[in-house]
Amino acid sequence: KIENIEEIKTIGVICRLSDEANWNILHHFAKVMESQGKSVHIIAMQQKDQELNFVITHQSTYKCRVGSDFNFWGLPTNDSIEPFISRHYDLLIDTIGEQNFFSQYIALRTDASLKVVYATPSEDPTEVFDLIIRGDGQVELRGFFNNIIEYLSMIKK
């Protein structure tokens, strides 16, 4: 079910913790959406032995560290993802920007009315996601979020 952005109340975001600049864009998006009365929850994959040189300040962010929060088969443990997947989201956004087992697994396990992903022309995530925003190269978060808001704003109320 696709709703106008104004009607969306809960947003889930799947991301990879990479650098401070991308985190700041993601955090800004979450704060703008929360200032509009929406609830935003973030689940982030952190690579094994990755040191973060920035602070995660968003209160509804759940980190899954590769290794300690993943089982033998490379799946995130239920304990590490349960706080995120136990909620219903009106909108679920995958910001990882490439076919990724972690994000697909989270998207499949999450109850969401609309699942959005960025994909290159060679990728086909239609089995998991409802709306695909295509582009060449790596995802540029600011533009990706702007596209989502623009497209969902065009939906008639």
Side-chain angles (χ1 to χ4, degrees):
K1 177 181 175 187
I2 300 177
E3 295 186 27
N4 184 283
I5 190 69
E6 293 178 16
E7 297 170 346
I8 289 173
K9 298 294 180 212
T10 56
I11 300 173
V13 180
I14 304 168
C15 70
R16 174 185 290 136
L17 290 177
S18 56
D19 58 48
E20 187 172 7
N22 278 337
W23 171 254
N24 287 339
I25 293 168
L26 179 60
H27 188 249
H28 176 74
F29 171 79
K31 288 299 175 193
V32 168
M33 293 294 107
E34 289 171 341
S35 73
Q36 296 175 8
K38 299 169 189 347
S39 173
V40 179
H41 296 267
I42 301 168
I43 189 160
M45 180 177 71
Q46 182 179 357
Q47 293 299 320
K48 186 177 184 179
D49 302 327
Q50 177 186 8
E51 296 294 325
L52 298 180
N53 59 356
F54 55 94
V55 178
I56 306 294
T57 55
H58 188 261
Q59 63 187 14
S60 297
T61 298
Y62 312 99
K63 291 189 292 185
C64 293
R65 182 175 277 236
V66 173
S68 60
D69 293 325
F70 285 69
N71 65 21
F72 176 77
W73 295 280
L75 297 172
T77 62
N78 282 337
D79 289 344
S80 67
I81 63 174
E82 184 64 31
F84 184 83
I85 66 170
S86 64
R87 293 174 167 71
H88 168 77
Y89 299 101
D90 296 324
L91 174 63
L92 179 69
I93 304 169
D94 177 2
T95 67
I96 291 186
E98 62 186 34
Q99 282 192 332
N100 180 282
F101 186 72
F102 172 77
S103 64
Q104 290 178 348
Y105 182 75
I106 298 297
L108 285 169
R109 296 278 315 267
T110 302
D111 176 31
S113 298
L114 177 65
K115 298 175 183 182
V116 180
V117 67
Y118 172 90
T120 63
S122 64
E123 298 171 326
D124 184 22
T126 55
E127 292 180 7
V128 179
F129 295 93
D130 306 306
L131 177 62
I132 301 166
I133 298 177
R134 295 208 182 269
D136 293 325
Q138 288 191 330
V139 64
E140 192 276 310
L141 284 182
R142 188 178 321 265
F144 182 51
F145 286 134
N146 287 337
N147 284 337
I148 292 170
I149 291 169
E150 180 181 341
Y151 295 150
L152 293 181
S153 296
M154 290 190 278
I155 304 296
K156 300 254 188 241
K157 293 182 184 181

